Each structure stands twice: as structure tokens, then as C-alpha cells.
Amino acid sequence: MSAQILDGKAIALELRESIRSEVERQVEAGNPRPGLAVIMVGDDPASAVYVRNKKIACEKAGFNDVSEVLPADTTQEEVLALIDKLNADEAVHGIIVQLPVPDHIDPEEIIERIHPCKDVDGFHPYNVGRLATRMPIMAPCTPHGVMTMLAKTGINLRGLDAVVVGASNIVGVPQLLELLNERATVTVCHSATKNLAEKVGQADLVVVGVGIPEMVKGDWIKPGAIVIDVGINRMDDGRLVGDVEFDVAKEHASWITPVPGGVGPMTIATLLENTMKVAYQLDC
Ligand code: GUN
């Protein structure tokens, strides 16, 4: 059996198109365009690609893009001052600081300085706490994008055994909370986990975000499981591969995300969705 492909690129395009038409409707009704500020400190090449893609997506969706690329030697105080300015700017609805930041910058202090209502990454402890208490306002973009993709399969997650591999603040931990809120039974595995293959092998749903090429072997996957690969790794020969051994895993899984064209495009689409929510009401 070969798995059905969960086509993140197509789902993200559909979401972005619905956001674009909602923005046009709101603008015609006299409301402002959503404003998104993406702050990047330094010149990490992978971050530069993400930031450029975010800029293009903003423009296509009819958002105002107020990205700021700051030199690598920008001080903590300068970044905090910029956040204070953006927090006070009514035309800016969402603020994110692209991670990773250079070593001399403390990301926790930066994230906490963003007003929780403008924290469209959902990384502020207030928003993490809202998600953990089943009262989400702003959910982190990658795990929430995964939930949007899972909804497309039509499969009810209630009672499924889910294994999340990777326990980062950006992916693993919020993914745990999102799945728990849908009443899945969730195990989170990380670098100290014993018997990883066995745990993955028992899962009805596997979400992997570790940043290690093909770390999860295809023959670990239980027949019929759903496999979501958050990883995107550039190999020496230029190929992009995920954290799951796709060619083998697809012979075991019922649904699987490709790399590229799986989870990646959902992150940006969800960022636009979060920013639009702030601009046109909603919960804050
Ligand atoms: N770096 C990798 N993924 C992300 C993300 O979702 N948000 C931010 N701000 N930085 C990232």
C-alpha cells in the first residue's frame, strides 16, 4: 500500500487565497490592511530564505509588510526598542522575531517583550499558557498548520495514539498541546528518549520535528499510520529531505507529508491567518 500524500502546498495556497479575499472584503468595508513586522537580526541564510518567502506571501495576501533586517551586531536594547515601537504602532498587527538570533541576543526576553496580542508566532508565555489551558488565542504557526492539514484528512484525532518526536518550543511542545486539545493520547520523544523506534512503531499518528535528515526510519512506521514530517534539511548535493525516510515510510503509512511541499508552506499561511485574526477583531 502506498500512502496518500497530504499536500501542504495545495492546502496552504487555498488558505492564502481565502485570506486574500477576506482582506479585500475588509478593505472595501473601510478596514485597514493587516500589518506584519518580521524582525531578522543578522544574516543566517536559512532565515533569509524564510523572511523573503514571508515577504512575498504578505504582498500576495494584500498585507502591509514592515520587515526589518538588522545587522548581526545589533544590541539587545536596540531590538527591544524596536519591539516597543512596533507594539505602539496601530498599523502593525503582528510582530515576529525570526529565530535563531545571534548568540549575544537573549530570545526569551525578546519574545516576552512582544505584546501578547501581537505575538502572531504564539511564542509568548501568555499565549503558550492559553494553549495549555485549552483557551488558545494565538497558536504557534507550524503545529497549528499541522492541525489544519490533519483536518483535511477527515480523520478524528480523538483517542488516537500520537507520538511527537522533538520537544522544541517552536514545534514539539505546542504540537503536544494542540493534539491533546483534540483528545489524542500524546507521547513526546526527545534526545533522552529510550526505545524510540518502538514508541514510533506504536503510533497511529507521528509528527517529527528534529532537524536530522531521515532520522525516523520508514520501517518503524505502523501500517496505516499518519506521518507528518516537519523537518526540512538541505543535503550536500543540494537535495531537500525531511526528518523521516519518506520512500520507505510511504509504503507503510495511510497519509504522509512530502518534503518539500508538506508542512513548510503551512507555516507561512498560518502566520498570515494569525495576523489577520489580530487585524480584524478577534480575541484580544
Ligand atoms: N524559525 C524557525 N521557525 C520559526 C517560526 O515559526 N517563527 C520564528 N519566529 N522563527 C522561526
Side-chain angles (χ1 to χ4, degrees):
M1 188 187 76
S2 198
Q4 297 188 70
I5 300 296
L6 201 40
D7 185 346
K9 197 171 165 191
I11 300 166
L13 272 178
E14 195 184 311
L15 179 56
R16 282 168 55 177
E17 176 52 29
S18 76
I19 293 167
R20 192 198 62 75
S21 64
E22 176 62 15
V23 169
E24 289 319 309
R25 206 179 65 77
Q26 293 280 352
V27 169
E28 273 168 32
N31 292 316
R33 292 187 181 278
L36 175 62
V38 178
I39 302 171
M40 179 173 144
V41 187
D43 50 11
D44 178 70
S47 293
V49 172
Y50 286 129
V51 170
R52 200 184 60 228
N53 288 341
K54 282 172 187 166
K55 204 178 172 67
I56 294 167
C58 269
E59 280 159 15
K60 286 192 175 158
F63 283 37
N64 287 328
D65 168 70
V66 263
S67 294
E68 303 260 359
V69 179
L70 305 175
D73 62 356
T74 304
T75 65
Q76 180 85 6
E77 285 62 38
E78 286 168 330
V79 180
L80 293 174
L82 174 59
I83 290 171
D84 289 343
K85 187 179 84 146
L86 295 167
N87 277 338
D89 185 340
E90 280 183 17
V92 173
H93 303 96
I95 305 168
I96 74 165
V97 176
Q98 187 66 32
L99 301 174
V101 284
D103 287 345
H104 68 280
I105 302 278
D106 168 12
E108 272 85 32
E109 191 187 17
I110 299 281
I111 288 166
E112 285 205 57
R113 193 66 158 253
I114 296 171
H115 193 291
C117 294
K118 294 192 177 188
D119 165 41
V120 286
D121 255 335
F123 293 166
H124 190 288
Y126 173 80
N127 284 316
V128 178
R130 294 287 305 207
L131 185 61
T133 48
R134 303 191 75 194
M135 297 183 288
I137 292 177
M138 212 77 76
C141 301
T142 300
H144 195 67
V146 167
M147 300 310 283
T148 305
M149 295 175 89
L150 287 171
K152 290 283 176 188
T153 67
I155 294 167
N156 187 354
L157 303 179
R158 187 182 173 85
L160 287 195
D161 287 325
V163 167
V164 176
V165 186
S168 70
N169 290 342
I170 297 180
V171 179
V173 171
Q175 193 72 71
L176 151 73
L177 298 172
E178 288 265 18
L179 292 167
L180 190 59
N181 287 346
E182 292 302 317
R183 289 323 202 206
T185 303
V186 192
T187 302
V188 180
C189 301
H190 44 76
S191 54
T193 296
K194 291 178 288 181
N195 303 328
L196 179 64
E198 192 183 303
K199 289 186 172 68
V200 168
Q202 286 166 359
D204 303 311
L205 163 64
V206 187
V207 182
V208 188
V210 287
I212 303 173
E214 299 184 333
M215 194 206 69
V216 169
K217 300 302 166 207
D219 62 6
W220 296 358
I221 303 299
K222 179 165 104 172
I226 306 168
V227 177
I228 307 287
D229 191 347
V230 178
I232 180 152
N233 309 285
R234 174 136 346 244
M235 308 305 279
D236 289 341
D237 61 6
R239 269 182 322 131
L240 287 174
V241 303
D243 292 349
V244 177
E245 193 188 16
F246 179 86
D247 287 343
V248 182
K250 79 174 194 313
E251 299 305 323
H252 297 257
S254 57
W255 288 91
I256 192 166
T257 59
V259 177
V263 176
M266 294 303 296
T267 301
I268 292 181
T270 309
L271 179 68
L272 298 178
E273 189 180 35
N274 280 351
T275 307
M276 188 177 72
K277 263 174 58 179
V278 180
Y280 300 138
Q281 47 148 332
L282 284 164
D283 311 284
C284 279

